[in-house]
Amino acid sequence: MGDSPDLPPLSAALYQAGCRSYAGFHTPGHGRGHAIYPPLRAWWGEGVFRADLPELPGLDNLLAPAGRIAEAQAQAAQVFGADQTWFLVNGATAGLLAAVLAVCRPGDRLLLPRNVHQAVLHALILADVWPVFLAPCRAAGLWGGPDPTAVTDHLAADPTIRAVLLVSPTYEGVCAEVDTLAAIAHAAGRPVIVDEAHGAHLGFHPALPLPALSQGADLVVQASHKTLPALTQAAMLHCRGVRIDPQRVSQALRLIQTSSPSYLLLASLETATAQMATAGRHLLEQTLAAAAWVRAQVEKLPGLSVVQPPCGRPGFAAQDPTRLTVRVADLGLTGFAADEILHGELGVTAELPGYEDLTFLLSVGHTTADVAQLVAALQTLSRRHWGAVPLPVAPLWPGLSERVCSPRQAFFAPCESIPLAAAAGRVSAATVCPYPPGIPLLIPGERISPEALTYLESSVRAGGAVVGLSVQDPPEVRVLYG
Ligand SMILES: Cc1ncc(COP(=O)(O)O)c(C=O)c1O
């Protein structure tokens, strides 16, 4: 594996273990790469297999860390401003499941916005928690956080609400008023969990919105792999203050994380932390400059515009400038159609297509050539399509559905598949989520309204995808019997 590189402690121990000459009678079965499919070894290189090791002496144990992993997690806690940090090898999903399991008891209620990731809905099923949904604020074509007044009212009215969960930033980089919401929740004696999957980079540059931990959040889940130089699936869970029992968090993580974590993922978390601590500000300076340049160029292009949240209004505290949502509807294109052209013909791939727009993620991993290619592709799109008839307005989200039973009751209840068109009035056994906007329309235990069906039909007609329906034509949906 070459000369000894300059690595932080856990990664250095892994490197040493990978270099050691010994006969290893342990997992994984590829035997440090000897038995791996040769073309794969030729492609990935030998080093990756030599570092793909189990919990050997000196490499610590993720589920009961006391050595190098404990050290790396403590270092991450310091860098991210937490009292305690846990490394996750199953994405932010693992952090969300563990956070809800650690904070709530069966039968509790959790106050949360509807635009939560499906992992949170799965956590409700696992922990037997009832959701109390808040409709997120919507303005300028973007979803924001919940209205603080609604949070205050719910907490005052319902003593069975155990905690508040927030999503900030959203996919489009819209940040909720985490400081205000945390103050409201704490005054009412409830802890706050923040799904900051899209915001692991926020603490590393003063021009970015403040990270949730520094705004009073108690438990924060970050998908490090989304915006930091870490491998896919690598994520972190951070805890701060006295409202969360860290032992419950560790216990919950033992329940849902693998006992064979990939050291490649753990090393990438450790090195991303070290990199951001030493060079994060400088790297983000370049990302921010690139994002500002792209914004300025887009504003010059006929038919294209950057979608800006109305910061300062309830639900809209700030915008992460490294997310760029570009409206394409005035070119007569849906975000899906524009995505196909950009990806298929113009060599640019976006993070998320919407009905009227496309969201691009800029990170410390982008080069000057990447951003130049993005602007050139958008120029071509504008030139080719300017003058087309603008799109009709997007279908209107019909709002929250009536809850009949808990997500867990619905998950375990006998159910059947029926044609979607015949489902009005029945209780959904499935999470049905149209993209866009990626906000679940139905989750297990909710009654299917005629308005919800109309919305699903118009979403599909507009070119969106619906997750949670069967693929056959006409589509079917899982509902409870009777
Ligand atoms: C808001 C939000 N939370 C959580 C997740 C889950 O993250 P992961 O894929 O790392 O499990 C996602 C994934 O897209 C997300 O967008």
Side-chain angles (χ1 to χ4, degrees):
M1 295 207 325
D3 291 340
S4 176
D6 179 17
L7 290 166
L10 172 63
S11 306
L14 188 60
Y15 177 81
Q16 292 306 333
C19 290
R20 239 182 101 225
S21 167
Y22 69 103
F25 294 92
H26 54 67
T27 62
H30 61 65
R32 307 168 87 204
H34 289 131
I36 212 79
Y37 185 56
L40 191 65
R41 190 174 49 232
W43 173 24
W44 286 4
E46 209 187 313
V48 76
F49 300 107
R50 294 188 77 87
D52 183 27
L53 292 169
E55 285 143 323
L56 297 177
L59 292 185
D60 208 359
N61 180 330
L62 180 65
L63 300 186
R68 296 285 173 110
I69 294 178
E71 218 179 305
Q73 292 186 150
Q75 177 62 17
Q78 198 188 328
V79 168
F80 286 88
D83 291 339
Q84 189 162 344
T85 291
W86 293 262
F87 284 178
L88 310 172
V89 291
N90 186 23
T93 293
L96 291 167
L97 297 178
V100 174
L101 283 164
V103 169
C104 298
R105 297 278 190 287
D108 279 349
R109 285 169 198 265
L110 181 65
L111 188 62
L112 71 174
R114 186 62 177 207
N115 58 331
V116 286
H117 186 262
Q118 58 174 346
V120 177
L121 306 176
H122 299 158
L124 301 177
I125 294 170
L126 289 178
D128 194 10
V129 168
W130 286 69
V132 179
F133 282 116
L134 296 157
C137 297
R138 182 156 175 88
L142 291 170
W143 298 94
D147 186 331
T149 312
V151 173
T152 307
D153 293 348
H154 275 288
L155 293 181
D158 189 347
T160 67
I161 293 175
R162 168 75 65 173
V164 178
L165 187 142
L166 304 171
V167 180
S168 181
T170 62
Y171 240 112
E172 291 81 9
V174 178
C175 297
E177 295 136 294
V178 177
D179 52 353
T180 307
L181 296 163
I184 292 169
H186 293 163
R190 273 60 158 232
V192 176
I193 302 165
V194 178
D195 177 354
E196 200 177 52
H198 294 275
H201 59 298
L202 293 184
F204 297 98
H205 196 287
L208 291 169
L210 284 176
L213 272 181
S214 65
Q215 296 191 66
D218 301 285
L219 261 182
V220 174
V221 182
Q222 294 176 336
S224 321
H225 66 93
K226 286 190 191 293
T227 60
L228 299 184
L231 293 180
T232 297
Q233 282 187 223
M236 294 189 204
L237 176 58
H238 306 287
C239 171
R240 184 165 170 174
V242 294
R243 291 180 190 85
I244 305 291
D245 175 0
Q247 294 204 21
R248 288 279 304 162
V249 177
S250 297
Q251 210 180 348
L253 281 169
R254 282 197 288 275
L255 213 69
I256 52 144
Q257 291 230 89
T258 174
S259 57
S260 308
S262 162
Y263 275 87
L264 303 174
L265 300 182
L266 298 177
S268 83
L269 284 171
E270 188 196 35
T271 52
T273 302
Q275 234 177 325
M276 293 311 285
T278 52
R281 184 171 175 150
H282 169 69
L283 293 169
L284 282 164
E285 193 81 44
Q286 295 170 351
T287 311
L288 287 163
W293 180 72
V294 177
R295 264 195 169 74
Q297 301 312 305
V298 170
E299 291 302 354
K300 292 183 204 160
L301 297 176
L304 292 178
S305 52
V306 177
V307 183
Q308 290 290 2
C311 294
R313 278 178 52 172
F316 296 87
Q319 160 79 9
D320 172 4
T322 67
R323 289 293 161 107
L324 212 71
T325 298
V326 177
R327 182 177 159 83
V328 294
D330 302 319
L331 294 178
L333 293 171
T334 61
F336 311 107
D339 195 36
E340 265 184 49
I341 299 169
L342 290 176
H343 180 74
E345 295 175 45
L346 302 176
V348 165
T349 305
E351 169 68 12
L352 183 75
Y355 177 64
E356 296 175 326
D357 48 47
L358 274 173
T359 297
F360 300 89
L361 178 163
L362 280 93
S363 76
V364 296
H366 286 106
T367 62
T368 315
D370 291 331
V371 284
Q373 191 157 339
L374 168 58
V375 168
L378 292 174
Q379 281 165 342
T380 306
L381 201 68
S382 161
R383 210 173 35 247
R384 276 197 206 162
H385 295 274
W386 175 231
V389 182
L391 277 188
V393 287
L396 251 191
W397 192 62
L400 302 173
S401 304
E402 178 203 351
R403 171 150 301 285
V404 177
C405 61
S406 76
R408 187 180 175 91
Q409 284 162 343
F411 182 82
F412 287 109
C415 57
E416 60 180 328
S417 291
I418 61 167
L420 183 64
R426 301 292 297 270
V427 178
S428 182
T431 300
V432 178
C433 186
Y435 285 86
I439 295 182
L441 182 67
L442 297 166
I443 74 162
E446 287 180 343
R447 194 175 304 286
I448 304 173
S449 66
E451 294 77 20
L453 289 184
T454 308
Y455 179 72
L456 282 177
E457 279 160 16
S458 45
S459 300
V460 172
R461 255 201 322 275
V466 179
V467 173
L469 301 179
S470 70
V471 286
Q472 72 237 62
D473 193 19
E476 295 195 335
V477 62
R478 299 284 287 169
V479 294
L480 303 200
Y481 271 130

